[in-house]
Amino acid sequence: MNLRIPGPTPLPPDTLEAVGRQMINHRGVAFSDMFKEITAGLKTIYETENDLFVLTSSGTGGMEAAIANTLSPGDRVLAVPMGVFGERFAKIAQAYYADVVRLKVPMGQVADPDEVAKVIREQGPFKAVLLTQNETSSAVTNDVEALARAIYAAADPAPLILVDGISGMGAIRLQTDAWGIDVAISGSQKAWMAPPGLAFVSFSERAWKAYETAKNPRFYFDLGDAKKYAASGQTPSTPNVAALFGLQVSLRYMVGEGVEKLAAYHQQIGDYCRQSMLDLGLKLYGDPAHRSNTVTAVVIEDRPAKEVLKKLVSEYDIHCGGSKDPSVEMVRIGHMGYVSEADLDEVSKALAEILGI
Amino acid sequence: MNLRIPGPTPLPPDTLEAVGRQMINHRGVAFSDMFKEITAGLKTIYETENDLFVLTSSGTGGMEAAIANTLSPGDRVLAVPMGVFGERFAKIAQAYYADVVRLKVPMGQVADPDEVAKVIREQGPFKAVLLTQNETSSAVTNDVEALARAIYAAADPAPLILVDGISGMGAIRLQTDAWGIDVAISGSQKAWMAPPGLAFVSFSERAWKAYETAKNPRFYFDLGDAKKYAASGQTPSTPNVAALFGLQVSLRYMVGEGVEKLAAYHQQIGDYCRQSMLDLGLKLYGDPAHRSNTVTAVVIEDRPAKEVLKKLVSEYDIHCGGSKDPSVEMVRIGHMGYVSEADLDEVSKALAEILGI
């Protein structure tokens, strides 16, 4: 099988072996040692000294934790959705009764820092801005550094900056502290090469200040509770032990490589995937200046993408993602974490055969 | 290792092997077939034809889902805590701004159906009653059938009955439909013999009626969304695939056995554990008429329980739970799911040696 959806990603052999280890006591020393090591490793890749929590949920639960722990009903929030997952972030805020202003970015494009700053100046103050680092649905990546700089310049105090880094972090740098990101969220099944079911949430001093007065209900995702337990390497309720076993192994590799090398590898593999598709004469979706290094969206012109995806599965055992833009037929190819040029060559070869190129 | 905490429980070898399988596409056919099979299997053990959802979270997340999907801020709720986990259920309702009345049961005892009915008649109406089937912290089991009957007799319409069945279900019967339980919650790492990180939540017609008007914020745990996706064997966000791989294998065994046999086995193993401890001259904690078939609490009289627990780990690699009642030193022995008399013999032998019996 060649699993090329944009997460869950394939697990390296030694990670997979760790996932299949027998359960242990989540209140014992072996667990707390592992949990502390994982938290430290995540902070290294997050480039942060903020608190960082590992929650047992998918990435969406991490996004909900960001909203539940910083906001109150009625708080004004600026959402900048540029696709399905940005829209999800806005909807979570709305589910928690925030007053959400949307600066909608057309699919395939990225957020413009000047426009974001303009909305903050003209329609602010906002309690928080919701950004997406890498939008899986349209295969483009925001310039989070420039966006954060523009947000800090547009208001004082600046709104909290909450970033969905789920499908980017670990592969595309997000300098949490240097850029002043208050909450950055990611998920184990993406570039982290671990099974799904763990969300990572970093939490700044400014976020803790907001936490003190935030009235949104929270219990399972309460980061105050998480902080109390984390001090002794534990979690408030039973954690996703099997995924943690795997994450520990993958993280050791990632920390060993370091963020620069990880980012350089994903730049290279992203370039390789894009060039392979262009070499086949296929078109890529989205703004050429902001294409993602973790997922590539290829436009399918003469037939439904579903037909291509089905053949990829049935004839080649290659699993890709489908179109998330109702107006464009596309195949989305994931290339984050455990992926090689040979994996992508298989996809190119199969696509060429299916499309008769 | 002899993992005898009351969850996570040890995984049988074939379950463990499944947990270590390579990731698959959670939007593909192999996944949806598995997810549908698991949902059907859980409904069999739950003895229900109600909707049943599998969420990626620990059991606590399932308890939060029960509250978030049925209640609104200010709703009057009767909580009947008889230990740590019953208290947790009450706290979740409070975190969601419910008006919680507590009928506190002293630790080691179970809820009295007549008392519950009396409070409902005298202090009602209540929107919901929160019950614990099996209280892990005190090793006793409620008579949920009698409690439900009393609740239905005490008010018309009766309050919703939300039951934390996390550490009981799969080992101790809970006849969801026959007893009229509106929401029953359990968790994969208990008698279900799967890794932690999956919560199960059944949801009755009456619960759906409450859902329609419930104003508590919900997104990640929104069961309306879960229902839409479940129709095609999927989940709204990326599920805990590795735990589902394991659960599928364990559930096949459980469904093959059937609820009667599973309950009979746990009755037998519970009796065996209790008798072994009594044979050593040790005292058991809690009401003798309501002792749990999934966990046994043994009173430690002449030294701190922590000392005994540490020796069990360091000298025997046996992992038990500690005291949850600050006034009584105890060791709690889990015996749910994958457990044999030989596993318990090891515990007896080690305890005898440590305590010099």
Side-chain angles (χ1 to χ4, degrees):
Chain A
M1 182 177 56
N2 192 348
L3 187 63
R4 298 264 66 84
I5 53 172
T9 59
L11 307 183
D14 48 351
T15 298
L16 207 51
E17 205 184 311
V19 172
R21 264 164 39 200
Q22 186 54 278
M23 288 299 113
I24 59 172
N25 181 3
H26 63 300
R27 302 288 179 217
V29 176
F31 180 86
S32 62
D33 286 349
M34 171 175 78
F35 197 71
K36 285 175 186 170
E37 178 191 332
I38 286 172
T39 303
L42 289 168
K43 285 168 87 162
T44 301
I45 307 297
Y46 261 65
E47 304 184 56
T48 191
E49 291 180 12
N50 288 339
D51 285 319
L52 187 146
F53 302 104
V54 180
L55 309 173
T56 291
S57 74
S58 71
T60 302
M63 291 159 81
E64 182 154 329
I67 300 293
N69 284 279
T70 59
L71 300 176
S72 301
D75 275 350
R76 297 195 74 228
V77 169
L78 175 60
V80 193
M82 54 179 189
V84 171
F85 293 95
E87 187 51 38
R88 180 179 290 185
F89 212 173
K91 279 183 184 154
I92 295 172
Q94 286 179 311
Y96 276 77
Y97 303 108
D99 177 11
V100 176
V101 173
R102 270 182 179 73
L103 171 58
K104 254 193 155 175
V105 179
M107 265 197 79
Q109 297 181 31
V110 299
D112 177 342
D114 292 338
E115 274 186 45
V116 172
K118 190 166 170 253
V119 175
I120 291 172
R121 276 193 297 262
E122 292 178 359
Q123 298 181 50
F126 292 102
K127 179 83 183 176
V129 179
L130 312 183
L131 299 177
T132 312
Q133 180 198 21
N134 182 74
E135 178 56 60
T136 326
S137 65
S138 56
V140 293
T141 304
N142 260 327
D143 184 345
V144 175
E145 182 179 13
L147 287 164
R149 203 183 304 123
I151 292 165
Y152 276 104
D156 186 16
L160 292 173
I161 305 181
L162 315 184
V163 181
D164 161 7
I166 294 171
S167 67
M169 294 182 80
I172 302 165
R173 282 178 80 175
L174 192 140
Q175 298 185 49
T176 306
D177 290 0
W179 302 348
I181 307 306
D182 295 291
V183 183
I185 304 130
S186 196
S188 51
Q189 82 280 15
K190 303 290 187 183
W192 310 93
M193 303 179 284
L198 295 171
F200 317 136
V201 181
S202 71
F203 215 66
S204 72
E205 276 302 320
R206 296 202 321 145
W208 280 120
K209 281 235 171 73
Y211 173 91
E212 280 166 28
T213 55
K215 291 205 158 31
N216 277 344
R218 54 178 178 256
F219 188 93
Y220 184 66
F221 291 128
D222 190 320
L223 298 183
D225 267 6
K227 188 177 168 87
K228 270 180 232 154
Y229 279 83
S232 52
Q234 293 190 11
T235 53
S237 58
T238 316
N240 188 350
V241 176
L244 288 163
F245 282 155
L247 179 61
Q248 182 180 36
V249 174
S250 290
L251 253 184
R252 281 179 184 170
Y253 164 79
M254 293 175 74
V255 170
E257 291 289 291
V259 286
E260 290 89 352
K261 264 192 165 178
L262 291 170
Y265 182 71
H266 283 88
Q267 178 70 54
Q268 177 199 320
I269 206 86
D271 286 340
Y272 188 84
C273 186
R274 288 183 286 270
Q275 195 55 52
S276 303
M277 295 300 129
L278 294 171
D279 288 349
L280 288 177
L282 295 171
K283 285 184 190 156
L284 302 180
Y285 182 83
D287 183 346
H290 297 281
R291 284 187 181 133
S292 167
N293 285 333
T294 60
V295 56
T296 293
V298 183
V299 178
I300 303 296
E301 292 202 300
D302 60 344
R303 67 195 81 191
K306 272 198 175 168
E307 197 182 286
V308 177
L309 290 166
K310 270 191 183 166
K311 279 194 179 164
L312 282 170
V313 172
S314 62
E315 295 174 20
Y316 302 89
D317 205 11
I318 295 173
H319 303 255
C320 291
S323 185
K324 296 279 185 184
D325 176 344
S327 69
V328 181
E329 293 294 312
M330 54 170 135
V331 166
R332 290 176 306 124
I333 304 163
H335 38 79
M336 60 186 100
Y338 187 56
V339 56
S340 67
E341 293 183 355
D343 293 329
L344 297 173
D345 288 345
E346 280 186 27
V347 181
S348 307
K349 191 166 169 286
L351 277 179
E353 287 175 8
I354 292 169
L355 298 172
I357 299 168
Chain B
M1 183 178 53
N2 192 348
L3 188 63
R4 297 265 65 83
I5 53 170
T9 60
L11 307 183
D14 48 352
T15 298
L16 208 50
E17 205 184 311
V19 171
R21 266 164 39 200
Q22 186 53 280
M23 289 298 113
I24 58 172
N25 180 3
H26 63 300
R27 303 289 179 213
V29 176
F31 180 85
S32 62
D33 285 350
M34 172 175 77
F35 197 71
K36 285 176 186 171
E37 178 191 331
I38 285 172
T39 304
L42 289 168
K43 286 169 87 163
T44 300
I45 307 297
Y46 261 66
E47 305 185 56
T48 191
E49 291 181 10
N50 287 339
D51 285 320
L52 187 146
F53 302 103
V54 180
L55 309 172
T56 291
S57 74
S58 70
T60 301
M63 292 160 82
E64 181 153 329
I67 301 293
N69 283 279
T70 59
L71 301 176
S72 301
D75 275 350
R76 297 196 73 226
V77 168
L78 174 60
V80 193
M82 52 178 191
V84 171
F85 292 95
E87 186 53 37
R88 181 179 292 185
F89 212 173
K91 279 183 185 154
I92 295 171
Q94 285 178 312
Y96 276 79
Y97 303 106
D99 177 9
V100 176
V101 173
R102 271 182 179 73
L103 171 57
K104 254 194 155 173
V105 178
M107 265 198 77
Q109 297 181 32
V110 300
D112 177 343
D114 293 337
E115 275 186 45
V116 172
K118 192 166 168 252
V119 174
I120 291 172
R121 275 192 300 262
E122 292 177 358
Q123 298 181 49
F126 292 101
K127 178 84 181 178
V129 179
L130 313 184
L131 298 176
T132 312
Q133 180 199 20
N134 183 76
E135 178 57 62
T136 325
S137 65
S138 56
V140 293
T141 305
N142 261 325
D143 184 346
V144 175
E145 181 179 13
L147 287 164
R149 202 184 304 122
I151 292 164
Y152 276 104
D156 187 17
L160 292 172
I161 305 180
L162 315 185
V163 181
D164 162 6
I166 294 170
S167 67
M169 295 183 81
I172 302 165
R173 281 178 79 176
L174 192 141
Q175 298 185 51
T176 307
D177 290 0
W179 302 347
I181 307 306
D182 294 292
V183 183
I185 304 128
S186 196
S188 52
Q189 82 281 16
K190 304 290 186 180
W192 309 93
M193 302 178 284
L198 295 170
F200 317 137
V201 181
S202 71
F203 215 67
S204 72
E205 276 302 320
R206 297 202 320 148
W208 280 120
K209 281 235 171 72
Y211 173 91
E212 282 167 26
T213 55
K215 293 207 158 30
N216 277 344
R218 53 178 178 258
F219 188 93
Y220 184 66
F221 291 128
D222 189 321
L223 298 183
D225 266 6
K227 189 177 167 86
K228 270 181 230 154
Y229 279 83
S232 52
Q234 293 189 13
T235 53
S237 58
T238 315
N240 188 349
V241 175
L244 287 164
F245 283 155
L247 179 61
Q248 182 180 38
V249 173
S250 289
L251 253 184
R252 280 179 183 169
Y253 164 80
M254 293 175 74
V255 169
E257 290 289 288
V259 284
E260 290 89 351
K261 265 192 165 176
L262 291 170
Y265 182 71
H266 283 88
Q267 178 69 54
Q268 177 198 318
I269 207 85
D271 286 340
Y272 187 83
C273 186
R274 288 183 286 271
Q275 194 56 51
S276 304
M277 295 300 128
L278 294 172
D279 287 350
L280 289 178
L282 296 170
K283 283 184 192 157
L284 302 180
Y285 182 82
D287 183 346
H290 297 281
R291 284 186 180 133
S292 166
N293 286 333
T294 60
V295 56
T296 293
V298 184
V299 178
I300 303 296
E301 293 201 301
D302 60 346
R303 69 195 81 191
K306 272 198 175 167
E307 196 183 287
V308 178
L309 290 165
K310 271 192 183 166
K311 280 196 178 164
L312 281 170
V313 171
S314 62
E315 294 175 21
Y316 303 89
D317 205 11
I318 295 173
H319 304 255
C320 292
S323 185
K324 295 281 184 181
D325 176 344
S327 69
V328 181
E329 292 294 312
M330 53 170 135
V331 166
R332 292 175 305 124
I333 305 163
H335 39 76
M336 60 186 100
Y338 187 56
V339 56
S340 67
E341 293 183 356
D343 293 329
L344 297 173
D345 287 346
E346 280 186 27
V347 181
S348 306
K349 190 166 169 288
L351 277 179
E353 287 175 8
I354 292 169
L355 298 171
I357 299 170

